[in-house]
Amino acid sequence: MEYTTKLMYQSNYWYNDGLKKADIRDMSGAVTSLRRSLQYNRVNIAARNLLGLVYYGRGDVVEALVEWILSKNFQPEDNLADYYIGKVQEVPGELESINQAVKLFNQSIELAGLNGEDLAIIQLKKALAVHPSYVKAHQLLALLYIQTEQFSAARKELRTAHKLDTTDEITLRYMHEITQIRKSRPSRARDRGKGEGTKQTVTYNIGNETIIQPASSVFKENSGLHTLLNIAVGVLVGAAVMWFLVMPAVSVGRQKKLNERVVSFSDKIATQEAQISALKTELEEYRVNSEESEDLKAQSASTQESYEIVLEVAKHLAAEDMSDQEMLEQMLKVSPDSLGKAGKSRYDEVAANLFPRMCEKLYATAGEEFESGDYDGAISSLEKIVKMDEGYQDGKALLLLAQSFEKKGEQDKANIRYQKLVEKYKDKEAARTAQKSLDGQNSQNRQTETGSQDDENNQTEAGSQDNQTETGSQDDQGDLDDQDGSSDQAAYDDNEESE
């Protein structure tokens, strides 16, 4: 399987995985899978459009528009991104409302950093009023509620964020924190209530009635002391009124300027974040295309060099101030396919003037070198001829080149040329000669294989004859032994009779 096909399969696999997760509102998992799909194939239009929808479902409209715009750049026609962008734009003022929600969200971050939790909560409520699906705003509002110990409101915001994205790590972490606080809070409240009850009231029964009365105080009533305490409380209340009512009026101008600066900075940050996101995406695409750019640069350099060589040789040819051999060396460096129409025409003019006489001269030289046994020189001359005109002399030059390789002992290179002659010049004498050479090699190879098999068979038969010879020798030796034994026995019998 080709490398590009593997990349396409991987991209489609992660797209399908992201689609499954998006169907069950696993938005965070869907974003991870779809980004991985685009890493394998950045022009996967379906994955990029789905990633924009997932961002839009989480309330990240700016990121969604970035993905859809990139999708349109890759496929301007017949693209669902046009429909999605149109749906966003068809509601009057929707983009402005979303932009205002982002600004309010950024303002709330600044205010929270300056310990202004109450103002930050107000800004976030305004943002969610115009953009209810903004997951990040729900999460930040829940965090501020936790900070200010408004746990019921925090739990409500977290439920909403969880419905929008069921696997968001931040939402799950905040929900776990709320659960832990809920487990530990009631016991402390009960202990505190019991302690306060024992200090503040006394309960006893009289008959069928239960009497509850305040506990006796350790301090005796003192009207003068109460008067002083009331005066002190009044002073404190007056100071508090001055601090909370008069001082804000004094600092309202300074706070207004601060708010204006915060709004301005938030607008700049939102704009720059969108620009940075788009630029990062483009930078990744440029890096992917860097290798293609290098190839185009090398091809352009080769084309320029070929043009310069053709023009230079044409000038020398007209002035007749350079030898044919030197001009040929330069022309052989040119790649005709890289030239344009005008360059190819000029190349053909120079070649028509120079190549025929150089082919004739080099062919004569190659024949002499072949006859004298200088096969390297013949190969060098003939390869130049083949570059100029592969079918020169009806393929005879190519045939002589193959024979030179064969004489030199490079049979594979020779067979390549023979086969080319047979395929491209089958009606020529050179092709028939090449076919005879190939047939002779095939016949020789078959004879060699047959001879090898005959040698093996002869060796086997020789071994069988040797075994028969040894067996016969053993039988002859046994007959001789039997004859010797009979002679000895007859001699012994004769001696007994004589005695």
Side-chain angles (χ1 to χ4, degrees):
M1 185 182 295
E2 295 182 357
Y3 181 70
T4 54
T5 305
K6 290 182 178 178
L7 291 179
M8 292 293 292
Y9 283 164
Q10 286 294 323
S11 178
N12 293 334
Y13 170 81
W14 287 112
Y15 164 74
N16 292 327
D17 186 69
L19 182 61
K20 292 176 183 178
K21 292 179 178 178
D23 288 338
I24 60 174
R25 301 296 299 184
D26 181 5
M27 298 302 191
S28 299
V31 169
T32 302
S33 298
L34 292 171
R35 282 188 174 279
R36 189 166 297 176
S37 174
L38 293 175
Q39 288 178 354
Y40 286 106
N41 181 16
R42 61 190 177 88
V43 296
N44 192 337
I45 302 302
R48 196 172 290 278
N49 289 339
L50 181 58
L51 180 59
L53 285 175
V54 172
Y55 279 138
Y56 188 84
R58 283 177 48 87
D60 299 327
V61 182
V62 175
E63 289 81 355
L65 289 174
V66 168
E67 296 300 329
W68 290 335
I69 291 170
L70 288 173
S71 175
K72 283 189 63 178
N73 290 335
F74 286 124
Q75 184 178 324
E77 301 294 334
D78 195 19
N79 193 336
L80 282 175
D82 291 325
Y83 172 76
Y84 299 147
I85 295 173
K87 293 297 288 183
V88 174
Q89 293 176 344
E90 72 178 5
V91 179
E94 182 174 0
L95 288 177
E96 183 61 28
S97 300
I98 293 170
N99 187 33
Q100 185 65 26
V102 173
K103 292 179 182 179
L104 293 171
F105 174 78
N106 293 329
Q107 291 176 16
S108 65
I109 293 176
E110 294 289 336
L111 293 171
L114 298 173
N115 295 325
E117 288 84 2
D118 294 334
L119 292 176
I121 290 172
I122 293 172
Q123 298 291 74
L124 287 172
K125 286 182 177 180
K126 292 179 180 179
L128 291 173
V130 297
H131 192 18
S133 62
Y134 201 3
V135 174
K136 294 180 181 177
H138 285 290
Q139 292 172 345
L140 182 57
L141 182 57
L143 180 62
L144 293 174
Y145 279 145
I146 294 172
Q147 184 71 21
T148 56
E149 296 185 354
Q150 301 179 51
F151 301 111
S152 298
R155 193 177 296 108
K156 180 180 179 182
E157 295 300 327
L158 290 175
R159 288 197 189 101
T160 304
H162 186 260
K163 290 179 181 178
L164 295 172
D165 188 352
T166 58
T167 60
D168 189 89
E169 294 182 358
I170 296 175
T171 303
L172 296 176
R173 187 164 66 248
Y174 290 170
M175 293 177 73
H176 177 72
E177 189 69 21
I178 288 286
T179 303
Q180 296 299 320
I181 293 173
R182 185 179 181 182
K183 288 180 179 178
S184 60
R185 187 175 176 79
S187 60
R188 291 198 299 267
R190 285 194 299 269
D191 293 342
R192 185 171 63 251
K194 290 179 181 179
E196 293 173 356
T198 56
K199 291 180 181 179
Q200 293 178 358
T201 61
V202 174
T203 302
Y204 58 91
N205 296 324
I206 298 177
N208 295 326
E209 298 181 355
T210 301
I211 306 299
I212 302 174
Q213 68 178 21
S216 61
S217 175
V218 295
F219 300 101
K220 295 181 179 180
E221 296 182 357
N222 192 324
S223 60
L225 180 60
H226 288 172
T227 303
L228 292 176
L229 289 175
N230 290 332
I231 294 173
V233 170
V235 172
L236 292 174
V237 169
V241 169
M242 289 290 294
W243 179 260
F244 289 105
L245 297 180
V246 178
M247 291 302 294
V250 174
S251 61
V252 65
R254 183 173 56 187
Q255 186 65 32
K256 183 178 180 181
K257 292 181 180 179
L258 177 61
N259 291 337
E260 290 176 354
R261 292 180 62 187
V262 169
V263 171
S264 177
F265 289 150
S266 299
D267 294 342
K268 292 180 180 179
I269 290 171
T271 303
Q272 291 176 356
E273 285 181 350
Q275 293 175 352
I276 290 171
S277 177
L279 289 174
K280 285 182 177 180
T281 306
E282 291 181 4
L283 179 59
E284 292 178 358
E285 295 171 0
Y286 289 145
R287 287 175 179 171
V288 172
N289 294 331
S290 61
E291 294 183 0
E292 298 178 2
S293 300
E294 292 296 330
D295 294 339
L296 291 175
K297 187 185 294 183
Q299 184 178 357
S300 176
S302 175
T303 302
Q304 181 180 357
E305 183 181 2
S306 297
Y307 269 109
E308 292 175 353
I309 291 173
V310 171
L311 294 176
E312 188 71 18
V313 172
K315 183 174 68 175
H316 288 298
L317 184 63
E320 297 182 354
D321 57 353
M322 181 182 284
S323 66
D324 290 348
Q325 183 66 30
E326 292 175 340
M327 287 189 290
L328 178 62
E329 293 293 336
Q330 293 297 320
M331 288 293 288
L332 292 178
K333 297 178 183 179
V334 176
S335 176
D337 295 335
S338 65
L339 298 173
K341 185 176 180 181
K344 187 66 167 60
S345 177
R346 198 62 178 273
Y347 173 84
D348 292 338
E349 291 177 4
V350 176
N353 195 338
L354 178 64
F355 285 178
R357 63 173 179 269
M358 288 304 300
C359 284
E360 183 178 359
K361 186 184 297 184
L362 290 172
Y363 187 68
T365 303
E368 294 174 0
E369 291 169 342
F370 182 81
E371 294 296 333
S372 64
D374 183 9
Y375 302 117
D376 289 329
I379 289 171
S380 177
S381 300
L382 291 167
E383 284 182 339
K384 293 178 182 178
I385 294 173
V386 171
K387 286 183 179 179
M388 291 184 285
D389 184 6
E390 186 180 67
Y392 184 72
Q393 293 288 336
D394 292 334
K396 291 181 180 179
L398 187 59
L399 176 63
L400 187 58
L401 177 60
Q403 291 172 345
S404 299
F405 277 120
E406 187 172 14
K407 291 292 186 181
K408 192 180 175 183
E410 299 180 3
Q411 192 64 49
D412 293 338
K413 294 182 179 179
N415 289 340
I416 291 173
R417 274 72 180 181
Y418 284 143
Q419 190 64 36
K420 184 179 289 188
L421 281 166
V422 171
E423 293 175 355
K424 298 182 67 174
Y425 308 98
K426 56 185 177 180
D427 296 332
K428 305 297 181 182
E429 181 63 29
R432 289 191 286 271
T433 304
Q435 185 64 55
K436 290 179 181 179
S437 298
L438 292 174
D439 293 340
Q441 291 179 40
N442 293 333
S443 177
Q444 185 177 359
N445 291 335
R446 286 196 295 269
Q447 290 177 1
T448 302
E449 293 176 358
T450 303
S452 299
Q453 293 177 357
D454 291 341
D455 291 340
E456 292 178 358
N457 293 333
N458 290 334
Q459 289 177 1
T460 304
E461 292 176 359
S464 300
Q465 291 176 0
D466 291 340
N467 291 332
Q468 291 177 0
T469 303
E470 290 178 1
T471 303
S473 299
Q474 292 176 358
D475 294 339
D476 293 340
Q477 184 66 35
D479 294 339
L480 291 174
D481 292 340
D482 292 339
Q483 292 176 2
D484 291 339
S486 300
S487 301
D488 293 339
Q489 184 65 35
Y492 179 76
D493 293 338
D494 292 340
N495 289 330
E496 284 185 350
E497 290 177 359
S498 61
E499 289 177 358

